[in-house]
Amino acid sequence: MANPKIDVLGVDLGKNSCSVAGLDDSGAVVLRRRMTRQGLIKFASKLPGCVVAMEACCGAHFLARIFQSHGHSVRLMSPEYVQPYVKAQKTDDRDAEAIAEAATRPTMRLVTPKSEAQLDLQILHRARARLVAERTRLTNQLRAMLLERGIILPKRRGPLIKRLDELIADNPPISARMLCLLHDLREEWAELDRRIGAYDDELVTMTREDDLARRLVTVPGIGVVNATALVAAVGDASAFAKGRDLAAWLGLTPRQHSTGGKTKMLGISKRGNRYLRTQLIHGARAAMRHFAEQRTAMGEWLRNLLARAHPNVVVVALAAKLARIAWAVLRRGDVYQSQEATI
């Protein structure tokens, strides 16, 4: 019996085994199978060119590049958009069928497969973020530990380092065991600073070598960290039709709960990439004063917003604006140019 013609191959990825569902040109399920990852690659290499659909999860981008090299068209989707197509009880086979069916919808929002360079840059950011979080936990532990001994340390990192080094050099009135532990934690802090600094240097080098990142750092509020994080996450931003789509994907636009013709806007959705959203908000906070002091349309908009809204709300609004500017810079291939006209 001849193998059925498969137009869409839905793959539910697992760590060791994957469930596969194949649809023909009418949308009927003509194949259900479970196989290992290596078996899936071998199976797909023998298929005529078709649409291979997967959820955008861990390992999906690697397989997407392999399937593309075999002549297939890959469609990656967010898991939350696939879930409504699951029928009845949840099983791996039904998940694969739902993935295949969701990929046939013309309005489905797809995820652009990431290149190996993008994934390398993304894991570099994640490793750096983990070290920064460890350093924050360490400094909080140091402050709490010394507070129990009646020694109060400042909150800011620079004064905290200076006060801590002075304290260690002056032989503080604490036990010898505590002093030894203090030395050990200070050395651990110095090692974390060294490792984070090495990652920062690598990000600076990547920014100099990457054209997209070089153009992004021309935008106030988008430094090396934000520029490389944007390149890793969105690339040339071709997956977004307009700037607001990128801002919405980052969770920087209001949630909407409208019915009966009545529009109700809520707080920001906080969807999408939490790390990138946080970094853009930090960048907006740092650049807000710079924009507000300029006699431009952006400065006028920002001053009017500050007059009627809380500064934290304004910071998020500015972060959304920066996301739109970043989209324009990535899509149009230009560098950011501040408005010259005075208001």
Side-chain angles (χ1 to χ4, degrees), residues 11-12 53-56 75-87 94-103 105 108-110:
V11 181
D12 181 45
M54 297 178 289
E55 293 177 331
R75 296 181 184 177
L76 299 181
M77 298 162 289
S78 174
E80 63 180 326
Y81 294 147
V82 174
Q83 198 277 332
Y85 294 91
V86 178
K87 300 179 181 68
R94 283 177 178 153
D95 284 347
E97 182 181 340
I99 291 169
E101 184 174 347
R105 308 310 304 162
M108 178 57 60
R109 297 177 181 178
L110 304 178

Side-chain angles (χ1 to χ4, degrees), residues 145-217:
M145 182 177 68
L146 291 174
L147 182 60
E148 288 289 343
R149 274 74 182 175
I151 301 173
I152 300 176
L153 295 178
K155 292 182 180 180
R156 294 177 59 190
R157 182 167 166 265
L160 175 57
I161 293 176
K162 181 179 178 181
R163 178 73 179 93
L164 186 61
D165 290 341
E166 291 174 351
L167 189 65
I168 293 175
D170 293 341
N171 291 323
I174 56 179
S175 65
R177 183 69 190 88
M178 189 66 190
L179 184 60
C180 180
L181 182 60
L182 194 61
H183 278 282
D184 183 61
L185 293 178
R186 182 65 185 94
E187 290 175 3
E188 182 181 351
W189 187 355
E191 176 62 16
L192 287 172
D193 282 343
R194 184 195 65 77
R195 294 177 64 187
I196 293 171
Y199 285 153
D200 289 340
D201 292 341
E202 191 171 353
L203 291 176
V204 170
T205 301
M206 288 182 175
T207 302
R208 291 171 179 167
E209 296 174 351
D210 188 271
D211 179 62
L212 294 177
R214 279 202 309 272
R215 286 191 270 111
L216 282 173
V217 294

Side-chain angles (χ1 to χ4, degrees), residues 16-230:
N16 299 312
S17 64
C18 306
S19 292
V20 174
L23 307 183
D24 61 13
D25 55 0
S26 66
V29 179
V30 294
L31 173 72
R32 284 192 179 92
R33 192 176 299 179
R34 180 166 293 189
M35 57 190 72
T36 64
R37 281 179 174 253
Q38 290 301 320
L40 173 62
I41 294 173
K42 185 177 180 180
F43 174 77
S45 66
K46 298 178 181 179
L47 283 178
C50 65
V51 173
V52 179
M54 297 178 289
E55 293 177 331
C57 58
C58 186
H61 295 278
F62 168 75
L63 289 175
R65 294 195 300 272
I66 293 179
F67 293 149
Q68 286 175 336
S69 68
H70 292 156
H72 300 297
S73 175
V74 176
R75 296 181 184 177
L76 299 181
M77 298 162 289
S78 174
E80 63 180 326
Y81 294 147
V82 174
Q83 198 277 332
Y85 294 91
V86 178
K87 300 179 181 68
Q89 306 299 321
K90 181 188 183 306
T91 65
D92 291 342
D93 290 339
R94 283 177 178 153
D95 284 347
E97 182 181 340
I99 291 169
E101 184 174 347
T104 64
R105 308 310 304 162
T107 58
M108 178 57 60
R109 297 177 181 178
L110 304 178
V111 176
T112 304
K114 289 182 173 59
S115 66
E116 189 171 358
Q118 283 181 288
L119 293 177
D120 289 346
L121 187 53
Q122 194 172 61
I123 196 62
L124 177 61
H125 273 276
R126 289 176 179 175
R128 179 186 178 276
R130 178 180 58 82
L131 292 180
V132 171
E134 287 181 6
R135 184 174 64 183
T136 301
R137 286 194 293 268
L138 177 60
T139 55
N140 288 339
Q141 186 180 44
L142 278 168
R143 294 180 68 251
M145 182 177 68
L146 291 174
L147 182 60
E148 288 289 343
R149 274 74 182 175
I151 301 173
I152 300 176
L153 295 178
K155 292 182 180 180
R156 294 177 59 190
R157 182 167 166 265
L160 175 57
I161 293 176
K162 181 179 178 181
R163 178 73 179 93
L164 186 61
D165 290 341
E166 291 174 351
L167 189 65
I168 293 175
D170 293 341
N171 291 323
I174 56 179
S175 65
R177 183 69 190 88
M178 189 66 190
L179 184 60
C180 180
L181 182 60
L182 194 61
H183 278 282
D184 183 61
L185 293 178
R186 182 65 185 94
E187 290 175 3
E188 182 181 351
W189 187 355
E191 176 62 16
L192 287 172
D193 282 343
R194 184 195 65 77
R195 294 177 64 187
I196 293 171
Y199 285 153
D200 289 340
D201 292 341
E202 191 171 353
L203 291 176
V204 170
T205 301
M206 288 182 175
T207 302
R208 291 171 179 167
E209 296 174 351
D210 188 271
D211 179 62
L212 294 177
R214 279 202 309 272
R215 286 191 270 111
L216 282 173
V217 294
T218 62
V219 182
I222 299 183
V224 170
V225 173
N226 282 343
T228 51
L230 280 165

Side-chain angles (χ1 to χ4, degrees), residues 291-296 299-307:
F291 282 116
E293 291 176 348
Q294 291 184 337
R295 307 300 298 177
T296 62
E300 183 69 15
W301 167 78
L302 201 55
R303 288 190 294 273
N304 290 337
L305 199 56
L306 283 167

